Amino acid sequence: MKAINVLGYSRNNEQFVVKTQNADVRISNNNRFPELDGPNPFEYILAGFAGCINAVGQNVAKELGLNLKSLQVEITGTINQEERIGFNKIEIVLKPTTDASLKILQAWLKLVQQKSPVYDNLINPTPVELILFKEYNYAA
């Protein structure tokens, strides 16, 4: 098993910053400071999903000997805030540029779906623990 960890923080309800191993990611959490606005959390989920599909798609293409000249990944998440607060549906449209046949592309797509860890986490229940740690001052 391998643990992946990120640390996020905000001050005075301003922009939320997440530190990852290789980058700082800024996430918009309000519209009070438009100059600080960035993608919202839903857009980051979709962007991460698109990045994962691209990386897995490129790797699977190499495994199959498929000449993948380019790959466009378009992901649309539908949110109905009345029924639930998350995505009700996510649609992914892949547009590969290749000379491969439709049959080979269908096999490629099936393997991309099977090997995508983000896809797996979104379609299968993943236990999530939410732990609260209240900051306090210790006086001796």
Side-chain angles (χ1 to χ4, degrees):
M1 291 189 145
K2 177 182 177 182
I4 298 171
N5 181 268
V6 299
L7 172 65
Y9 61 92
S10 68
R11 287 198 177 110
N12 300 323
N13 199 27
E14 292 182 12
Q15 192 172 47
F16 190 69
V17 178
V18 177
K19 291 194 166 290
T20 70
Q21 183 177 355
N22 298 314
D24 288 353
V25 179
R26 300 184 187 297
I27 301 173
S28 175
N29 62 350
N30 65 45
N31 293 320
R32 286 184 17 211
F33 304 100
E35 68 277 6
L36 298 177
D37 250 1
N40 67 47
F42 289 114
E43 291 168 324
Y44 268 111
I45 290 170
L46 297 180
F49 200 177
C52 181
I53 294 291
N54 175 66
V56 172
Q58 300 289 342
N59 288 338
V60 169
K62 286 178 189 172
E63 290 172 11
L64 296 177
L66 193 136
N67 181 18
L68 192 59
K69 297 172 187 160
S70 68
L71 176 59
Q72 181 178 327
V73 181
E74 181 180 345
I75 301 185
T76 303
T78 305
I79 300 170
N80 182 345
Q81 295 175 339
E82 294 174 11
E83 292 178 20
R84 58 182 289 230
I85 57 174
F87 291 114
N88 287 8
K89 176 182 165 187
I90 296 175
E91 180 181 274
I92 305 167
V93 177
L94 300 180
K95 298 177 182 177
T97 302
T98 181
D99 52 6
S101 70
L102 181 59
K103 186 174 182 176
I104 291 173
L105 282 174
Q106 288 171 331
W108 168 79
L109 179 62
K110 188 173 183 176
L111 284 170
V112 169
Q113 185 176 348
Q114 290 171 354
K115 293 182 175 198
S116 169
V118 176
Y119 181 87
D120 179 79
N121 271 272
L122 288 172
I123 66 164
N124 292 307
T126 301
V128 176
E129 283 186 58
L130 190 57
I131 300 167
L132 175 64
F133 179 82
K134 183 176 181 333
E135 182 181 5
Y136 64 94
N137 293 323
Y138 177 76

